[in-house]
Structure formats: structure tokens, C-alpha cells
Amino acid sequence: MTEKKRLTREDLYELKSVANPQLSPDGNKISFVQTTMNEKTNGYDAHLFVVDRTGATEAKQWTFGNQKDTNPQWSPDGSQLAFVSTREKKPQIYVLSLDGGEARPLTEIPNGATNPHWSPDGKTIAFQVSLLPGSSIDQEEEKDDKPAPLKVVEMKYKSDARGFHDEKKPQVATVDVSTGEVTLLTEGEQAYNLAGWTVDGESLLVWQDEAENRDESFEHALFTYEVAQGTWTQVSDRGSYHSASPSPNGAYIAWLGHHGEYKNATHADVWLHDVATGVTSNLTQSLDLAIGDFNIGDFQQNGTPVGLQWNAASDTLTFTASKEGNTNMYQVTVGGEVSEWLTGEQHVTGASVAKDGSGAAVTISTPTQPGDVYWVDGASKQVPPLTAVNADVLAEREVPAPVSFTFTRDGYTLQGWYIQPVGLEAGEKAPVVVEVHGGPHAMYGHSYMHEFQVLAAAGFGVLYTNPRGSLGYGQDFVDAVRGDYGGGDYEDVMALVDHAVANFDWVDEDRLGITGGSYGGFMTNWVVGHTNRFKGAVTQRSISNWTSFYGVSDIGYYFTEWQIGGDFADLDTLWKHSPLAHADNIETPLLILHGEKDYRCPIEQAEQLFIALKRRGKTTEFYRFPDSNHELSRSGTPSLRMDRYGAIVDWMTKYVKETSASEKEATPAN
């Protein structure tokens, strides 16, 4: 038997991500998106594959080329597959016939077309387009080589995903599948976000925010738009809502969301609107569960939320929820009875449920399995794999499995994991890197993390937990971090280290490192400003100064108020929770990694920290990643992702593994 090799950062080029499974109307075929990193183009290719539900044949690739083909949608009769493709640079909607042949472009819109939804009769596809007020859908953008100022009139003028906003607004249009004729349905200053069709095919479901002051608005309402008459009817009240889904019999419309009782730390609920009576009820009001997928990963690409999916009888909804490190599938009846439908130590990243109850097509990731397509049998809950897209790579690589454990602190039971380094011999002690997730309202769990495996292969143990503020452990737990950054959450992280040192004899307490990104970067900065216990640290896309974050982040003004509890005038509060205030105390060698185009945690946060440390003669270095936003670690430029892995491993090797070990050897015995 051939000995397995250690996994490397470059193996990411060989591994494949699968996402967005879609079950055909007859329930026999499953389309999905497979994404790979392209080393030659330094980008990503995404293609559509189709596999038989029985697994009798291997998955077949349906699209090819150096582009992204995503968001597959079966036509109602199952004869065609619509999808979004970047083969002409701007995303456009294409259709592919099951009879074979080339994909046919349905749209050629200058600004691009996204979010396709088939009408129930299969004759029309509704979609989303972004337009300047007063412009036509086929109007080419005027290009001018001369620089021009950006006019800013709203606080929400930029975002990490889009960069600086122009004046375009999302609008709704339709295209005739047979003729290609496009009809623009909405226009103007208002933003319209398409959710789908009503069952009768006469109306569209559209989200609208009609607030005059959009800077202070974080809610919207659901409307129906009657296509023939052009009339609007409001369905929901205003809320932080998403994932609207009409029942097959047309009697109900369901959606997910909340009213911000705990700001962005609020659990979503399932809401049910009775079309006949106009009454809306909360089906999960008594359920203390994080509905949705909040499992942290750095691998999956081009997925879409599972949302709410009805059965044929229109009496049951299926959805995903995150609990104690797992993302699994749940059901709720129109009477409010909730049950777990699929369980396991796993991360369900996508799902398409058969309306007849026979099962569901799902994509699942685990810590040792990046992801595959599975069929869940509705009766037995057996989950046979339909693909093995990474079997060749995994057969030759060591991928150690994490071990889960719990510990208690301050009345909470906290969940943690450790991964032992590859090649650790019995009786040996190993250097350990503590990882802190971002959010803070996210969740580490049973999902593949390439970063963790790269560290384990490099000889480091990996230690991680879900401190207070994490989703998956109840509403009180997720809310407990607000107003207390650097308080109980910091103590939770340190308690994790204490527990590991006391209970795992392979952990070398003299060789500890820490890293994290976003909120995890904040915590890394905070930790090294409050303890010298760690020999090396890497802070990524971090927050160092809340007083400036308030005005420079794309979410700064409201996130700071919601999470820290103060605005720009409350300098005492913002500075109290700022790691930069404790720069004098930092003795741990600190590597700073940040993207140049990160608008979530702008690079000035890193600049301030770097200058403060260098001015005081501290050990620090600063890597600025060009053309990279907040998503560098997950979907950034492939070569820069490789550079990032290398920087982390090299720093931890120098200051945690090697320097600390040599210091220990140089210390004379008593």
C-alpha cells in the first residue's frame, strides 16, 4: 500500500467544489455546479454537470470552457436547463436542451442578466438586471477614458462585493424563451429584487424597500407584481426577509427572516402567509434554532441558499439549519410542527427536495471530504454518494479528522475541536495554532477547511471553538457578544487553550500561535494585546480601531452601533473595545494580512496597526494583497490564495515551531 503524502496548499488546484444541486421535475436527474481553480488563467472555471439520481451512471459534464456557468434551473417540463454564464464576460442567461447541442444565449444585455426563474408554463424566464434610472435595458454604457468624480449622496455608497456603487438599481425583466424578446417590467430609482413566480404564472414575487431614507432602512416587504396589468399588491410587512416560496396549491407564501430584535444577531423564523385570508403567522416562534447555513468553510464555490422548499401536498416546508457545528435539514408543517429531517456530523451546502417525499439531492461537506453530491432516501434516510469528484486526490493525501470536545465556562457549554498534526508520534508534543472564526455570528463545524489541513500537514495542531457570539447554540448565546467584544468572548478563547493544555498531552503550551480573519482578526489583535501566551500570531482582514471603522467600512456606521454599542461621538466606548488601544502591550510577533480592496474591513485598519507596532519597535510585517476584497481566503485570486497560505505557514514556523523550540532547548534545566 502506497504511503499517503502530506496535503499541500497547491492541492487546492486539484480539488473540485460541487454546489447547487437541482432535481429535475421528474425526479430522475440532478444538475449541479462543479468549480475548479485554473492555474493557467489564475481564475476559476465553473461548469454544469448532470448525474442520474440512482447513481447508475457517472456524472456527465454539460458545459465546457474557461468561464463560470452557474445557477442551473430546470424548465417545468424538464426538457431544458437555464443557467447564467460569463462566457461573454458579462453574465447572461443561456438555455441548454436535454436533446443535446450547444447552449443558446437568451439574453444579450449590456449590463448582464442574472437570477433566472422559469414561469410555470415554461414559456418565459424572469430575471434580474441592473440599470441606471431612465436608461433602457439594451442601452450600451458610455465609456470615457477621462477620470470622473464619484458623486456620493448615501452612506450605503459602497460594498465589499460591488466596490463603489454607481446609480444602477436592480430591476426585473422577462424574456420569451422561444423568441428571445425581452420586456423590462420595472425601472426608476426604486430597487426591485426578484424572488420568483406565483403558482398561476400571472404574477411575480418581488422584494421592495420603499423607505425614503435607505441609509436607515434594513428591511423590505414582499409584493406581487401582476405581469399583464402591471399592478402591485403588498404581501408581507417590512422585515429582514428573504427566500420567498409559494406553495404548489397557491394557498400560501412562505419566507424566512426576522424583525431585528437582536439586530444582525437575530435568529430567522419561518413565516407563513395565507393568501385567502391575508393572515401571516410565525411557524417557528418557539424554536430556538439558527435557520440557514452558517457553517464556516473556505472551499465551496458558486452555491445558492437552500431557502424554503414545499412538498406537493403544500403542508410541509423543508429548510436547513445550523446547530452545534452541523448544518442539516429540518421540516415544519403549516401547523407549526418542527422535526429534523436529515441529521449527521456534516455540512449540507445545498439541497433540492423531491416534492413527492421520495428524497432530496444534496451536496455535503465534512472535515475530511470537501464535498460531493448525494441522494437522501426520504424513507430510510440513507445517503449514498452519487459522485466522488475528489477521490483521486484524497486517496493520495493525509487528511486528518478533527476531534470534537466540550468544555464549560461562565455557565456555557462550549464546543471545540482539535486536529493533530500529520506524522505526530506517540509521546511527542506539537506546536498548535488556535483559529478564530469571523462574523462574529458564524459557526465552525463539520466542514472542510483547507487552511486547517495545510497547517496540520505543516506539522501544527489546529485548535478551534465557537465562542459566544457564534450561531448554532441558541439566541442568547449568539447575542452574548454584542457590547462585550474583548470580554467574555476573549475569555472563551483563552478557556479553550486552558482546556487543551490540561487535557491533551500532545499540546505544547510553549509553542502556541493564533490566527483569524475579520472578527477573528479582531480577536487575534485583542488576544496579543492582553497576553504574551502566544509565540506568534497572524491577523487577517482585521479590525483594529472601531473609531475609524465606523466611517470607513461599508457596514461601519450601523454594525458598530449594533455590535459595540456606540457611535462616532462615543469615543470612550469605541476606543475601549479597540485592539489598537493596547498596541503598547503587544509583544507577540504579529503578521498582518489584508486585501487592498477590502471594503468590509478596509485596509486602513491594518495600516494603523502596522504603523503603531513598527513605531514602537515591535516585531511585525504587513502583506497587502492587490485587487483583493474581504473574500480573499475563500474566493480570491488563486495565486494570492497560495501566497496567503505560504505567509501563514512561514510565520508560524519561524515564530511558533522553530523559534520557541530553540528557546526551550536553550533554557538550562533547574
Side-chain angles (χ1 to χ4, degrees):
M1 183 176 179
T2 304
E3 184 177 353
K4 289 188 175 184
K5 302 176 182 178
R6 293 173 184 251
L7 184 140
T8 69
R9 57 181 175 172
E10 289 82 9
D11 285 328
L12 201 58
Y13 284 115
E14 305 300 324
L15 294 169
K16 305 174 182 69
S17 163
V18 295
N20 201 358
Q22 296 293 322
L23 191 62
S24 63
D26 64 7
N28 293 326
K29 297 183 182 300
I30 301 162
S31 66
F32 62 94
V33 179
Q34 182 170 296
T35 304
T36 55
M37 285 171 46
N38 188 323
E39 188 170 7
K40 181 181 289 187
T41 65
N42 205 18
Y44 297 83
D45 298 335
H47 296 118
L48 304 187
F49 285 69
V50 174
V51 66
D52 190 88
R53 182 183 110 178
T54 64
T57 58
E58 291 187 0
K60 294 181 179 179
Q61 186 171 347
W62 277 25
T63 65
F64 301 83
N66 297 139
Q67 76 276 337
K68 292 182 181 179
D69 297 329
T70 59
N71 199 6
Q73 300 290 318
W74 292 95
S75 63
D77 65 0
S79 66
Q80 300 180 86
L81 199 61
F83 61 98
V84 176
S85 178
T86 61
R87 58 191 67 191
E88 296 299 329
K89 305 306 179 186
K90 290 283 188 180
Q92 303 289 350
I93 296 169
Y94 286 71
V95 289
L96 190 60
S97 172
L98 266 67
D99 294 331
E102 292 291 327
R104 175 169 61 95
L106 263 190
T107 63
E108 296 179 357
I109 298 179
N111 289 343
T114 60
N115 193 19
H117 290 267
W118 288 92
S119 62
D121 62 9
K123 296 180 179 180
T124 306
I125 292 177
F127 63 94
Q128 200 90 47
V129 63
S130 292
L131 296 175
L132 291 170
S135 65
S136 64
I137 196 169
D138 57 358
Q139 183 175 331
E140 294 280 353
E141 291 186 45
E142 294 183 7
K143 295 183 179 179
D144 192 338
D145 293 335
K146 291 181 288 187
L150 175 70
K151 180 182 177 181
V152 175
V153 296
E154 296 179 346
M155 288 188 286
K156 295 178 183 176
Y157 71 93
K158 62 181 178 180
S159 62
D160 190 64
R162 290 174 55 191
F164 291 120
H165 296 180
D166 51 28
E167 296 180 2
K168 294 189 187 78
K169 302 295 182 184
Q171 305 294 344
V172 177
T174 59
V175 58
D176 187 292
V177 176
S178 61
T179 68
E181 181 181 357
V182 172
T183 303
L184 183 64
L185 301 181
T186 66
E187 57 186 339
E189 300 282 349
Q190 174 67 41
Y192 299 92
N193 291 289
L194 177 65
W197 292 85
T198 56
V199 177
D200 58 16
E202 295 180 356
S203 300
L204 290 166
L205 295 169
V206 181
W207 297 107
Q208 285 189 54
D209 179 6
E210 295 184 312
E212 291 186 11
N213 185 353
R214 293 173 189 160
D215 284 333
E216 300 298 334
S217 176
F218 303 94
E219 299 180 330
H220 54 195
L222 183 65
F223 290 75
T224 57
Y225 175 80
E226 208 280 325
V227 176
Q229 302 298 323
T231 56
W232 294 93
T233 303
Q234 186 166 345
V235 176
S236 77
D237 64 345
R238 288 173 55 79
S240 294
Y241 294 143
H242 59 93
S243 302
S245 179
S247 63
N249 65 4
Y252 306 107
I253 301 173
W255 58 82
L256 292 171
H258 57 77
H259 289 105
E261 293 88 344
Y262 301 90
K263 302 302 182 184
N264 61 325
T266 310
H267 279 176
D269 282 304
V270 179
W271 300 84
L272 185 73
H273 177 78
D274 188 305
V275 174
T277 66
V279 174
T280 300
S281 56
N282 184 344
L283 296 183
T284 55
Q285 187 169 6
S286 61
L287 185 67
D288 194 8
L289 184 67
I291 296 176
D293 177 10
F294 302 102
N295 221 320
I296 289 285
D298 63 355
F299 182 76
Q300 282 77 32
Q301 301 275 345
N302 296 309
T304 57
V306 172
L308 291 167
Q309 300 186 35
W310 286 95
N311 66 347
S314 297
D315 60 12
T316 303
L317 288 151
T318 303
F319 56 92
T320 56
S322 300
K323 181 179 180 181
E324 297 173 1
N326 301 308
T327 299
N328 278 307
M329 299 176 71
Y330 293 72
Q331 290 187 331
V332 60
T333 68
V334 294
E337 298 176 6
V338 180
S339 59
E340 283 188 291
W341 190 78
L342 178 65
T343 61
E345 291 192 342
Q346 60 198 10
H347 178 190
V348 176
T349 61
S352 181
V353 181
K355 295 187 184 302
D356 63 4
S358 59
V362 299
T363 47
I364 294 175
S365 174
T366 70
T368 58
Q369 171 58 265
D372 270 309
V373 181
Y374 298 79
W375 175 255
V376 183
D377 184 272
S380 67
K381 296 301 188 294
Q382 295 297 308
V383 191
L386 301 180
T387 65
V389 299
N390 295 305
D392 53 345
V393 178
L394 297 178
E396 299 177 352
R397 297 289 184 269
E398 286 283 353
V399 184
V403 176
S404 177
F405 59 89
T406 59
F407 59 102
T408 59
R409 200 197 82 77
D410 197 23
Y412 291 118
T413 298
L414 293 104
Q415 185 175 17
W417 292 263
Y418 68 76
I419 301 175
Q420 288 190 340
V422 175
L424 182 69
E425 300 288 343
E428 281 187 330
K429 286 188 176 292
V432 173
V433 175
V434 176
E435 291 266 5
V436 186
H437 69 63
H441 309 309
M443 179 186 78
Y444 275 143
H446 299 106
S447 191
Y448 182 76
M449 288 286 291
H450 196 69
E451 180 176 328
F452 293 0
Q453 294 297 336
V454 167
L455 284 167
F460 295 93
V462 182
L463 189 63
Y464 51 107
T465 188
N466 286 321
R468 66 191 63 194
S470 304
L471 285 155
Y473 304 89
Q475 181 65 80
D476 289 344
F477 190 81
V478 70
D479 188 53
V481 73
R482 291 200 308 132
D484 190 38
Y485 276 47
D489 52 349
Y490 164 70
E491 296 295 342
D492 289 346
V493 172
M494 298 310 296
L496 166 75
V497 177
D498 291 339
H499 179 87
V501 169
N503 291 277
F504 311 138
D505 58 8
W506 58 272
V507 172
D508 189 341
E509 66 176 316
D510 294 321
R511 292 191 291 167
L512 298 174
I514 188 168
T515 187
S518 195
Y519 164 83
F522 158 85
M523 183 54 66
T524 298
N525 298 338
W526 189 268
V527 165
V528 297
H530 287 78
T531 178
N532 294 328
R533 194 168 186 180
F534 296 90
K535 296 299 189 290
V538 181
T539 182
Q540 308 174 53
R541 58 191 186 280
S542 75
I543 297 169
S544 66
N545 185 355
W546 290 105
T547 64
S548 62
F549 180 88
Y550 185 94
V552 297
S553 168
D554 63 343
I555 61 173
Y557 68 95
Y558 58 88
F559 186 88
T560 306
E561 293 176 13
W562 293 353
Q563 292 288 317
I564 305 303
D567 67 8
F568 68 93
D570 191 356
L571 295 180
D572 289 343
T573 296
L574 300 191
W575 191 242
K576 172 186 173 183
H577 293 281
S578 294
L580 193 63
H582 306 279
D584 281 334
N585 301 329
I586 296 176
E587 301 298 335
T588 305
L590 181 63
L591 176 64
I592 303 169
L593 308 181
H594 219 107
E596 294 277 5
K597 293 186 177 180
D598 189 332
Y599 292 149
R600 182 59 41 85
C601 297
I603 198 167
E604 61 88 30
Q605 293 285 305
E607 292 170 333
Q608 292 187 66
L609 182 60
F610 175 71
I611 294 300
L613 295 178
K614 288 296 288 186
R615 192 73 180 94
R616 286 156 176 75
K618 310 289 187 177
T619 302
T620 185
E621 291 180 9
F622 181 16
Y623 282 37
R624 303 175 68 115
F625 291 83
D627 299 318
S628 299
N629 68 1
H630 205 61
E631 297 302 307
L632 169 65
S633 66
R634 295 176 280 262
S635 58
T637 302
S639 64
L640 294 179
R641 292 180 72 182
M642 297 300 114
D643 292 336
R644 173 183 164 274
Y645 288 131
I648 295 170
V649 171
D650 289 349
W651 191 265
M652 292 298 184
T653 298
K654 181 177 181 179
Y655 290 104
V656 176
K657 182 190 289 187
E658 294 178 353
T659 300
S660 298
S662 62
E663 287 176 353
K664 184 185 292 187
E665 292 171 2
T667 302
N670 291 328

